[in-house]
Amino acid sequence: MLSNYCKQCGNRHEDQECAVNSTVIEWKYEGDVVTLYGSWSHFQVGYPMMKSKQPPYFLQAEINPPLPPGYHQYKFNVDGVWKHDPNADVIYNNFGTYNNWLEVVPRKLIQVDSSDDQEPMDEDVQFRQNYKQDLMKVKVRTYLDWNEMFVMGSWDEWKQPIKLNRKFLGFAKKYINYAYLHLTPGSYQYKFLIAGQYVFDETLPTVANNFSSKNNILHVNRKQLHYHPQNYDNVYFTQYQIQKKYERIHGLTMTGIGNEFYIFGGRGTGHNFKNDLHILNPRTKELRVVEDTKGPIPDPRAFHNAIKYGNKIIYYGGLNSDKVFNDYYVYNTTSKTWIQSKPKGQIPSPREKASLTLLPNYQSLIYFGGYYCSHDLEVQTTYNDIYCLDLTTMMWTHYDLDEYALKPPPRSAHSATQIKDKLYIFGGQLLPEGHYTPNFNDLWILDFSKEASWANLTPVMKGEPPSPRHGHLGSALAGHLFIYGGRGEHSNDILGDLYHFNPETLVWTKPKIHGTIPIPRCYCAADTMGSGNELWIIGGHKGNMIFNQQSQTHVYVMSFEEKDDDDIFGSPKVVSRKPEFVMDIVKAITK
């Protein structure tokens, strides 16, 4: 029944009260213009603070949409100066200053269908059952390098040291020390014990203690209950239009940070490679050029990589008509500053159409595959090697596999999609000696929970897989893999189909597509935003035609599927001024 779905959060609560709270934050100090920023939007979205309607007339801001249960950090911009509330809970932010933090607690769930003749449960038994049910398995990890380490924390009032397991990460050429704890939701402080000395890991969140030092801090969130089941069988596309002069382009990147997408580079018609940076606002559907940036801007390029890292974007590699790159740039979206960094170690050779993936749990980037061709066409190489960049030391290492170890054939223009501790490699193309060979439609996983070992899922996967292709999109939505578009074995074989892979059942399915179906394309760009259940797609290439078209994908069950799209998202807006170029936006939502 549609009435079982909450209009506030979109979940089904089975006749229980919604667990989403309205969050109001106050500023009780001086300031004329005060704006609130928070971790829920990567500190990118500001909430103007207004004077409360009742005494004592403090400045207030209400977060909309409401924050989900869990821990959130926030800070105030007071007349252009960043400040925190000294009388609220604070956490050290590793930039020499502090943020405030708060916990959003779910409202009490009210069960209304219990039987009246049910015997009451003993309070002690009820407490123990609730406590056990509320325990969360948490992994405490550090890359501090010591043979024997312990961890102590506030979870047991610093009484019992817990010995850490030690494991060598071959792909990153470093050790990780870790332990699993079972903790109730809450905030915990801890330190590592090394050779009788208490130390903290400065690469992890810290908080000041009472001994002129710091402790690491850990937030354990409550379980998210009563989410309705996902339905991957139907996908709905809605098309919007943006009126903005924007050259038709492919081989670009799009990265979502805060409530905006950052679009960089790409190739237009002919050899027109780009290095301008655009921002797309998904709410207003406005596209604008980022101006007045600081620092060295990367050379024009296409088929490069872009990775979101906090409020920064990491750009790596690519090519233009003059050069194939292996350089490394960082763009800070807050300060609008470009920084060129030069990592050391075993640096990957220049190449195009390789994959770059962030492993946040290991603070590392994984670089796989790619293709290189010299200007004189004398040297052509397709790769299947793995490189790892340690973001804490900025050192590249080459992951050396045994000569006879199982691994994928060399490939480029494949997709690499991270789901939990696994990297899913699908499709791609091998280009030996300049001749096109059949594309791949095999599926491999690189399992980082098992020392980065390869496994070929192709012989065991079920259902109908996508046809062989390259230049496609591979995206993780709600923990499942989706493959869209790409190019087949022939240059004009441009695809516009969509496939879904379930990592648990290993089954491929082909969702039914509704709405305005996008034109088939390859080498387009895409990224998710917010909860990660929406995919936005921009640009692409279709044979001899290059165009811009954009899509967004919801992959959760729509409780209001009978309603018009205008009731859900607002009417598609068209800018009233006469356009020089119209860019289509397509928003895909599961029904």
Side-chain angles (χ1 to χ4, degrees):
M1 297 175 57
L2 295 179
S3 59
N4 289 338
Y5 290 87
C6 175
K7 295 181 179 180
Q8 185 171 1
C9 68
N11 300 317
R12 186 167 57 191
H13 303 302
E14 303 295 344
D15 297 323
Q16 295 177 345
E17 187 178 4
C18 180
V20 176
N21 290 316
S22 177
T23 307
V24 178
I25 297 177
E26 294 182 337
W27 176 257
K28 304 178 181 180
Y29 313 97
E30 294 181 354
D32 295 326
V33 180
V34 182
T35 308
L36 172 70
Y37 292 83
S39 58
W40 51 85
S41 64
H42 302 281
F43 292 90
Q44 301 299 303
V45 182
Y47 294 82
M49 305 199 71
M50 311 299 293
K51 186 174 293 186
S52 59
K53 298 180 180 179
Q54 298 179 352
Y57 301 113
F58 295 135
L59 294 178
Q60 292 182 339
E62 182 174 358
I63 313 304
N64 186 29
L67 299 179
Y71 291 88
H72 307 276
Q73 298 184 33
Y74 61 96
K75 202 160 189 174
F76 304 90
N77 189 288
V78 183
D79 298 330
V81 179
W82 288 101
K83 295 185 178 181
H84 68 276
D85 186 342
N87 294 313
D89 293 323
V90 298
I91 180 174
Y92 185 72
N93 59 19
N94 293 333
F95 293 99
T97 59
Y98 294 91
N99 297 339
N100 293 114
W101 67 272
L102 59 84
E103 179 186 9
V104 177
V105 181
R107 297 173 183 166
K108 182 178 180 181
L109 297 178
I110 303 172
Q111 191 71 36
V112 297
D113 58 352
S114 58
S115 176
D116 293 334
D117 57 1
Q118 192 174 21
E119 294 185 4
M121 185 177 293
D122 181 81
E123 291 185 1
D124 290 338
V125 175
Q126 180 71 59
F127 174 80
R128 288 194 296 272
Q129 288 189 3
N130 291 342
Y131 181 84
K132 184 176 181 181
Q133 184 179 9
D134 218 18
L135 284 176
M136 301 290 291
K137 186 178 181 180
V138 179
K139 186 176 183 179
V140 177
R141 58 165 66 88
T142 179
Y143 295 103
L144 296 174
D145 193 6
W146 200 260
N147 288 330
E148 187 176 64
M149 297 179 60
F150 299 84
V151 62
M152 296 183 67
S154 59
W155 45 77
D156 64 352
E157 299 181 353
W158 305 85
K159 294 179 180 178
Q160 183 66 38
I162 301 173
K163 187 174 182 179
L164 301 182
N165 300 303
R166 184 170 171 83
K167 179 180 177 181
F168 181 72
L169 302 177
F171 64 91
K173 298 291 194 301
K174 62 181 179 181
Y175 283 94
I176 181 174
N177 294 280
Y178 65 95
Y180 288 102
L181 309 176
H182 289 84
L183 303 175
T184 56
S187 178
Y188 302 93
Q189 297 184 32
Y190 63 98
K191 267 192 169 179
F192 300 101
L193 187 60
I194 300 177
Q197 300 291 323
Y198 289 100
V199 299
F200 65 91
D201 189 339
E202 62 182 9
T203 66
L204 300 174
T206 59
V207 62
N209 59 26
N210 296 326
F211 302 98
S212 300
S213 181
K214 299 174 185 175
N215 299 336
N216 289 115
I217 188 168
L218 171 69
H219 296 308
V220 181
N221 291 332
R222 285 173 169 80
K223 296 179 180 179
Q224 302 294 307
L225 302 176
H226 302 296
Y227 284 104
H228 57 74
Q230 303 286 349
N231 180 353
Y232 304 100
D233 297 331
N234 294 275
V235 173
Y236 185 77
F237 284 87
T238 303
Q239 180 173 282
Y240 296 96
Q241 288 186 344
I242 285 184
Q243 298 184 358
K244 169 70 177 178
K245 185 178 180 180
Y246 188 63
E247 182 178 355
R248 299 174 177 182
I249 200 167
H250 69 295
L252 67 169
T253 56
M254 181 168 70
T255 311
I257 292 184
N259 66 339
E260 296 176 318
F261 289 108
Y262 289 79
I263 302 168
F264 175 75
R267 179 179 178 177
T269 56
H271 294 281
N272 184 16
F273 291 86
K274 315 292 290 184
N275 68 341
D276 48 357
L277 183 65
H278 287 77
I279 288 181
L280 172 66
N281 188 317
R283 292 186 177 181
T284 64
K285 314 300 186 297
E286 294 179 348
L287 186 70
R288 69 181 190 273
V289 178
V290 180
E291 299 177 340
D292 301 325
T293 61
K294 295 173 285 188
I297 301 175
D299 293 332
R301 66 192 61 204
F303 308 114
H304 51 283
N305 303 104
I307 295 292
K308 175 174 64 177
Y309 192 60
N311 67 333
K312 303 177 180 65
I313 306 175
I314 298 171
Y315 292 99
Y316 187 81
L319 86 161
N320 59 26
S321 56
D322 299 320
K323 185 177 181 181
V324 181
F325 299 100
N326 63 344
D327 51 2
Y328 181 101
Y329 284 84
V330 176
Y331 179 73
N332 187 315
T333 60
T334 303
S335 63
K336 298 176 64 175
T337 302
W338 287 99
I339 301 173
Q340 183 177 13
S341 181
K342 295 183 178 181
K344 301 179 181 179
Q346 299 171 301
I347 301 175
S349 59
R351 61 190 72 180
E352 59 175 293
K353 300 171 187 173
S355 61
L356 186 69
T357 311
L358 173 67
L359 299 180
N361 291 339
Y362 303 99
Q363 300 178 19
S364 299
L365 297 176
I366 297 297
Y367 196 58
F368 170 73
Y371 169 73
Y372 173 78
C373 178
S374 62
H375 277 285
D376 57 10
L377 304 181
E378 292 296 326
V379 179
Q380 298 186 66
T381 306
T382 306
Y383 299 92
N384 65 342
D385 50 2
I386 302 172
Y387 285 86
C388 176
L389 177 62
D390 187 335
L391 294 174
T392 62
T393 63
M394 293 304 292
M395 291 288 293
W396 279 108
T397 56
H398 181 260
Y399 184 37
D400 299 314
L401 289 172
D402 183 85
E403 181 181 358
Y404 301 102
L406 182 68
K407 53 187 173 182
R411 64 192 63 205
S412 66
H414 53 279
S415 61
T417 311
Q418 180 198 359
I419 301 177
K420 297 182 178 179
D421 273 348
K422 296 182 176 65
L423 189 63
Y424 289 77
I425 305 293
F426 176 80
Q429 185 182 48
L430 175 64
L431 295 170
E433 300 179 358
H435 297 290
Y436 282 87
T437 60
N439 295 325
F440 298 108
N441 70 336
D442 51 355
L443 182 63
W444 294 74
I445 60 170
L446 188 59
D447 192 343
F448 294 97
S449 66
K450 299 179 180 179
E451 299 186 3
S453 59
W454 283 108
N456 186 3
L457 297 184
T458 311
V460 297
M461 61 189 189
K462 308 169 187 176
E464 180 185 354
S467 59
R469 64 191 63 200
H470 69 279
H472 55 278
L473 288 178
S475 300
L477 300 170
H480 286 221
L481 174 64
F482 285 82
I483 300 296
Y484 170 74
R487 172 180 276 166
E489 296 182 8
H490 304 288
S491 60
N492 288 325
D493 184 13
I494 309 299
L495 307 170
D497 48 5
L498 178 68
Y499 286 84
H500 157 243
F501 179 76
N502 188 325
E504 297 181 0
T505 62
L506 305 183
V507 175
W508 284 103
T509 57
K510 191 172 183 179
K512 185 177 180 180
I513 298 179
H514 306 268
T516 305
I517 301 176
I519 300 173
R521 66 198 62 210
C522 63
Y523 293 122
C524 49
D527 198 10
T528 59
M529 178 170 287
S531 62
N533 289 337
E534 299 181 356
L535 182 68
W536 289 70
I537 305 171
I538 188 171
H541 191 285
K542 176 175 169 51
N544 295 323
M545 184 179 74
I546 306 170
F547 55 89
N548 280 280
Q549 197 166 356
Q550 194 164 22
S551 68
Q552 178 182 13
T553 305
H554 277 72
V555 288
Y556 52 82
V557 174
M558 302 290 290
S559 62
F560 33 70
E561 57 187 3
E562 289 96 345
K563 294 185 179 181
D564 294 334
D565 294 325
D566 293 353
D567 297 333
I568 305 171
F569 304 103
S571 301
K573 297 181 179 179
V574 179
V575 182
S576 59
R577 63 181 181 271
K578 184 178 180 180
E580 296 183 54
F581 176 75
V582 176
M583 180 175 66
D584 295 331
I585 293 186
V586 179
K587 189 176 190 179
I589 308 155
T590 45
K591 297 181 74 177

